[in-house]
Amino acid sequence: MAARTSLAPLTADADLAMAFEVLGQKWNGVILHTLATRPARFGELSTAVGGISTKMLADRLRGLLDAGLVTHDRLPPGPATYTLTPDGQALLPALEQIRSWSRHRIS
């Protein structure tokens, strides 16, 4: 009878789990990537993202604000705009990699 070797227990990476608490929610990555171009008003984001309800967009923006990835500022003169924070900007290379992965996967 062969001796059984015990395998080390699997553990999920805590940092990755925390990141996907935000990034794993539908639309968050798309919203962040859209804001990479420039600050935008709520209506502009709604149009740019498309297919997202205003309620869902408001909820997702609130979550991104709470996570410190987006700010909501009133730039005089004009309406309030959403802008990426430095932490939000730091995610852009990862989002571009995911975008590239998706393109190659579909081709």
Side-chain angles (χ1 to χ4, degrees):
M1 182 175 246
R4 288 191 166 190
T5 58
S6 62
L7 299 174
L10 292 175
T11 57
D13 185 88
D15 293 329
L16 197 55
M18 282 189 351
F20 273 93
E21 283 184 24
V22 175
L23 294 177
Q25 292 188 16
K26 187 173 182 176
W27 300 111
N28 280 358
V30 175
I31 293 166
L32 291 169
H33 192 266
T34 302
L35 286 172
T37 306
R38 64 173 174 79
R41 297 184 320 266
F42 184 90
E44 291 178 302
L45 277 173
S46 181
T47 300
V49 172
I52 186 171
S53 71
T54 56
K55 182 178 185 219
M56 178 66 73
L57 180 57
D59 180 60
R60 293 302 184 243
L61 285 169
R62 203 170 308 112
L64 293 169
L65 284 162
D66 291 345
L69 301 176
V70 170
T71 62
H72 186 227
D73 299 308
R74 183 170 297 279
L75 303 173
T81 59
Y82 293 91
T83 307
L84 291 179
T85 65
D87 280 344
Q89 291 173 354
L91 285 169
L92 295 178
L95 293 174
E96 278 299 319
Q97 289 283 52
I98 293 168
R99 184 173 164 260
S100 176
W101 169 81
S102 179
R103 277 186 172 172
H104 291 342
R105 193 166 172 255
I106 293 170
S107 321

